[in-house]
Amino acid sequence: MNTVGMLLAHIAFAEAHLVQVGVLGEAVGHAHDVIGITEEDEGLPLPPDGLPSPPLRGRELAFFDDLLARARAHTRAATASLTNSDLERRVHRTRPDGSLRVLNVGWVLYHMLEHEAGHRAQIGLLRHLQRRARGGG
């Protein structure tokens, strides 16, 4: 099971990456330049009985809030001038296996929202389980 911090870091990393490759059309994502951690640093998935990756271990909520704020600022800068017609713009992406994936910008933005919502639900469940483990409701 991943930690709340790992999930927040993952949300920030994924958002920056998706904007880079899916909105800006960059060939290679470099989310670490935006949020300051690498995909390896986020540490997903947490190995059974494992610990969070060292760059995330013991961090306060403010650290994760900053990661999310950096990703959001990047998203705002990249999307502020988009028009309705830009949402239909196709982005061609070569997958690591060499196959081609064609996306449109509107779908990428929708997927970012869907991705975060799913992980925010996981965070809500983790917090609920933590409260129950401490005897709360």
Side-chain angles (χ1 to χ4, degrees), residues 52-133:
S53 69
L56 302 184
R57 202 172 302 153
R59 297 289 191 153
E60 297 292 326
L61 180 58
F63 173 81
F64 301 101
D65 283 342
D66 182 60
L67 296 180
L68 292 166
R70 290 178 192 206
R72 295 292 139 73
H74 179 254
T75 298
R76 279 191 298 276
T79 60
S81 63
L82 291 179
T83 65
N84 285 342
S85 62
D86 289 322
L87 299 178
E88 294 302 321
R89 181 171 38 88
R90 293 179 181 262
V91 176
H92 296 80
R93 177 120 171 90
T94 303
R95 292 178 171 164
D97 68 2
S99 63
L100 182 65
R101 183 171 189 191
V102 180
L103 315 166
N104 71 36
V105 172
W107 181 88
V108 172
L109 295 173
Y110 169 80
H111 180 65
M112 286 170 45
L113 176 64
E114 177 183 57
H115 176 263
E116 179 164 345
H119 287 307
R120 291 284 180 158
Q122 286 179 294
I123 290 167
L125 177 60
L126 285 172
R127 293 186 69 223
H128 172 74
L129 293 172
Q130 289 168 343
R131 284 190 299 273
R132 292 207 28 133

Side-chain angles (χ1 to χ4, degrees), residues 3-69:
T3 68
V4 169
M6 290 170 67
L7 291 166
L8 292 171
H10 173 69
I11 290 167
F13 186 92
E15 180 172 329
H17 174 78
L18 286 167
V19 166
Q20 290 168 342
V21 301
V23 175
L24 299 174
E26 297 178 10
V28 178
H30 49 98
H32 58 281
D33 292 334
V34 174
I35 65 167
I37 65 168
T38 66
E39 188 171 14
E40 293 76 29
D41 291 343
E42 73 179 30
L44 264 68
L46 183 68
D49 301 322
L51 295 172
S53 69
L56 302 184
R57 202 172 302 153
R59 297 289 191 153
E60 297 292 326
L61 180 58
F63 173 81
F64 301 101
D65 283 342
D66 182 60
L67 296 180
L68 292 166

